[in-house]
Amino acid sequence: MREDGSMRFCVLTLFPQMIEQGMGESILGNAREQGLIELQTVDIRDYTKDKHRKVDDYTYGGGAGMLMQAQPVYDAYQEATKECGKRPRTIYVTPQGRVFDQKLAVELSKEKELVFLCGHYEGVDERVLEEIVTDRISIGDYVLTGGELPALVIMDAVSRLVPGVLHNEESARTETFDNDLLEYPQYTRPECWHGKRVPQVLLSGDHRKINAWRLEEAKKHTKVQRPDLYAAYEYRQKVIRWLSRKKRQHIHMMELLKRNLGRVLAFDPKDGALLEENTGVIMLSCTSVEAGERLFAASGADFTGRLFCVCQEEIIPVLRSRCQATEARGCYQAYYTRGVPLPVSKELDIRRLDESYAEEIFAEYHELVTFEELKEHLARGDMYGAFVKKKAAGTAFHEDKAAEGENTEYELAGFIGTHSEGALGMLQVRPRFRRRGIAAALESHMINEALTREEIPFGQIFEGNEASLHLQRKLGLNVTDIILWWVW
């Protein structure tokens, strides 16, 4: 996404109108009107040097059909990307590419700009593909007449992950393919249609029972329709069950897998579990140093220079020798399992923050996050801020909101976020607003948000941060006496 949170698509095509029409209706059309999505279509024929606007020719070596020439494609690409700050991710849609799935959609949604090349005839001259293309992507094992439809499919899947496009961020988080399961069946009015009634549990109002029913239905559908996905789900559950034997020590790894924020690199009940968070953080719990070595070997990955979160201090020397780790820092883990929402002061205006607050937040909080990482958190909607009226700064909280005028100005008193691995963090209250319960209100708000998603809220506190440890206990979180280690 770009600086303002929008996503820009550029499509090199022989049929610009086909792309414009496909991206001009319904949700995507509205998103374009709001500036959440930008679209540029480039007609490759405009860049041919042939007076008849020809862009294809016969293939060397013979064979059926024609091939798109390198020159017009390359010139169109150069013109379309000349103002890009860096080489954009450029996708050639082809049956020979990596198969498109939801994980790849999430990956692509983190880009600021995507360029698509839509082929026709028998394809495109290989030389220009080698010159400009970064990704070859297929939407399935079949052949179409051109690349426009696959490009539209990919843009649709990516667009709905751009914050604000769906108007309900949970729609993009909990749906088909979430956590390796197909979506559960859904119903609307009337309650009875053609003699078939809506399942009674959905009318009960008991959200715990409803969610349990939906999970079972999702498992049932996945097992029958996509046994490959169900096998992946079962494997993930097996690892979670192993971790749950020492829940207090492993809550962060369990939540990582439950929330589909990472994947299993290696697992053996005798040795332990090795996980990779979606942004690359490595998490490890092993039964011995030798077991840890076996897990590393089983994964087959190179971990040099990676950031680790490990449950056993004795594995740190292995990370120093194997992965060139130089620093280690211990932390406690706090988690909330009561399931009861915490009270949040009504005197505070707590709301989700967007990228416009990036510089203001970074000036206060930059020890454990880069500016680019901070903007990504904001773009995903992972951060909240507590606001107070400007005239109340340094005095009591503002009066009841009903008495406020339309032009009342607020300022950011503190903020909190969720780290990429799911932990609560980035909690900061500006000095002149401290000792007013703002930190407690912010964390309580985030805990309540997690409870609505049936997640176990948790956070990690570095050794020596007594103020944060006191806050966790005050809010009713369990604080472990087991030290986790962040190693880098």
Side-chain angles (χ1 to χ4, degrees):
M1 288 167 289
R2 310 177 81 192
E3 298 296 326
D4 58 0
S6 67
M7 168 68 79
R8 181 176 184 269
F9 297 116
C10 177
V11 185
L12 311 180
T13 173
L14 299 179
F15 301 96
Q17 284 300 319
M18 189 173 178
I19 299 295
E20 290 285 352
Q21 290 172 5
M23 294 288 287
E25 302 294 333
S26 187
I27 292 173
L28 300 186
N30 292 335
R32 288 181 64 188
E33 290 180 2
Q34 297 171 37
L36 299 171
I37 297 171
E38 295 181 24
L39 175 67
Q40 176 189 10
T41 56
V42 179
D43 190 340
I44 297 172
R45 293 188 188 278
D46 290 343
Y47 296 88
T48 180
K49 296 177 181 178
D50 183 87
K51 64 180 181 181
H52 301 295
R53 290 172 58 83
K54 182 181 177 183
V55 296
D56 63 308
D57 211 329
Y58 294 106
T59 58
Y60 282 115
M66 308 288 278
L67 198 68
M68 289 179 66
Q69 297 171 301
Q71 174 267 315
V73 170
Y74 183 75
D75 289 353
Y77 171 83
Q78 289 291 91
E79 180 64 25
T81 61
K82 65 181 181 181
E83 295 182 2
C84 296
K86 62 178 183 178
R87 184 186 182 191
R89 198 160 177 178
T90 302
I91 297 165
Y92 176 49
V93 284
T94 167
Q96 302 170 21
R98 171 184 173 185
V99 176
F100 185 68
D101 58 17
Q102 189 66 19
K103 288 184 176 61
L104 183 51
V106 172
E107 178 185 327
L108 294 176
S109 71
K110 297 175 182 178
E111 300 291 329
K112 300 178 185 296
E113 182 170 25
L114 293 173
V115 177
F116 290 84
L117 171 59
C118 302
H120 270 272
Y121 314 117
E122 292 302 309
V124 179
D125 190 309
E126 183 67 21
R127 292 169 295 185
V128 72
L129 298 180
E130 293 173 352
E131 193 87 6
I132 70 172
V133 168
T134 61
D135 299 79
R136 302 188 190 210
I137 297 177
S138 166
I139 63 167
D141 295 336
Y142 48 87
V143 181
L144 299 172
T145 56
E148 284 74 19
L149 288 175
L152 285 167
V153 166
I154 297 171
M155 286 190 287
D156 187 293
V158 170
S159 294
R160 62 195 311 282
L161 298 173
V162 174
V165 170
L166 292 184
H167 304 293
N168 178 3
E169 304 310 318
E170 289 304 306
S171 294
R173 294 187 183 187
T174 55
E175 55 192 346
T176 296
F177 305 119
D178 181 55
N179 215 2
D180 295 316
L181 290 176
L182 300 180
E183 196 169 21
Y184 48 79
Q186 301 192 64
Y187 304 85
T188 187
R189 295 176 181 173
E191 188 176 322
C192 183
W193 180 81
H194 283 201
K196 299 178 180 179
R197 304 193 67 83
V198 173
Q200 191 61 36
V201 66
L202 299 180
L203 309 176
S204 68
D206 188 327
H207 291 290
R208 189 173 295 276
K209 289 183 178 179
I210 290 172
N211 288 335
W213 178 87
R214 285 173 169 171
L215 175 60
E216 288 305 311
E217 288 297 309
K219 289 161 63 176
K220 186 190 305 180
H221 279 245
T222 307
K223 190 173 184 178
V224 173
Q225 298 175 29
R226 288 291 301 275
D228 57 325
L229 280 181
Y230 188 74
Y233 170 79
E234 277 293 285
Y235 180 66
R236 184 183 290 250
Q237 295 306 306
K238 182 179 180 180
V239 179
I240 292 173
R241 286 192 293 271
W242 184 88
L243 293 168
S244 68
R245 296 187 306 174
K246 296 183 178 179
K247 185 176 181 178
R248 296 172 67 244
Q249 185 177 24
H250 296 146
I251 192 70
H252 62 302
M253 298 176 74
M254 293 170 61
E255 286 298 302
L256 183 85
L257 295 180
K258 286 180 179 179
R259 303 182 197 182
N260 204 24
L261 296 175
R263 64 190 180 109
V264 180
L265 293 181
F267 170 69
D268 189 305
K270 301 188 298 297
D271 292 338
L274 181 66
L275 313 181
E276 181 181 36
E277 186 264 328
N278 288 340
T279 62
V281 176
I282 303 299
M283 295 187 178
L284 171 67
S285 182
C286 53
T287 55
S288 68
V289 172
E290 294 74 21
E293 289 275 23
R294 286 194 292 271
L295 289 170
F296 282 130
S299 73
D302 179 10
F303 298 105
T304 304
R306 302 290 284 275
L307 174 63
F308 292 85
C309 180
V310 297
C311 297
Q312 292 78 27
E313 184 178 7
E314 57 267 27
I315 200 70
I316 295 177
V318 175
L319 302 183
R320 294 189 190 279
S321 61
R322 173 188 279 268
C323 311
Q324 300 179 13
T326 58
E327 302 291 335
R329 195 170 176 186
C331 65
Y332 299 97
Q333 195 145 236
Y335 57 96
Y336 184 79
T337 54
R338 288 165 49 196
V340 179
L342 294 172
V344 179
S345 172
K346 294 182 180 179
E347 297 294 321
L348 281 173
D349 181 11
I350 298 179
R351 52 183 120 126
R352 182 175 273 139
L353 302 175
D354 58 31
E355 287 184 90
S356 65
Y357 290 94
E359 292 186 3
E360 188 175 357
I361 293 173
F362 193 69
E364 304 279 343
Y365 184 90
H366 47 257
E367 180 185 2
L368 299 173
V369 66
T370 67
F371 186 63
E372 287 300 318
E373 289 169 341
L374 179 63
K375 288 198 298 183
E376 288 179 7
H377 284 297
L378 290 165
R380 288 195 302 265
D382 287 345
M383 297 196 70
Y384 285 79
F387 291 82
V388 298
K389 287 204 310 187
K390 279 193 174 180
K391 69 178 183 181
T395 61
F397 282 128
H398 58 276
E399 58 269 17
D400 187 79
K401 290 182 182 179
E404 294 176 10
E406 290 185 4
N407 297 321
T408 301
E409 292 187 22
Y410 290 86
E411 61 180 313
L412 184 64
F415 50 85
I416 192 171
T418 304
H419 291 293
S420 56
E421 76 278 5
L424 300 181
M426 297 179 277
L427 176 58
Q428 188 89 356
V429 177
R430 288 177 160 170
R432 61 196 179 95
F433 293 106
R434 290 175 183 168
R435 310 184 75 82
R436 299 184 181 186
I438 294 177
L442 282 167
E443 185 164 340
S444 296
H445 178 87
M446 293 296 278
I447 286 172
N448 295 344
E449 287 277 313
L451 293 179
T452 64
R453 299 189 294 270
E454 296 200 334
E455 298 169 353
I456 297 178
F458 74 96
Q460 293 164 353
I461 306 97
F462 284 122
E463 290 182 288
N465 191 346
E466 295 301 324
S468 182
L469 286 170
H470 175 73
L471 174 62
Q472 310 314 313
R473 296 188 176 102
K474 177 182 176 182
L475 293 177
L477 278 74
N478 300 301
V479 180
T480 67
D481 54 1
I482 302 168
I483 301 294
L484 298 177
W485 294 90
W486 283 92
V487 188
W488 63 96

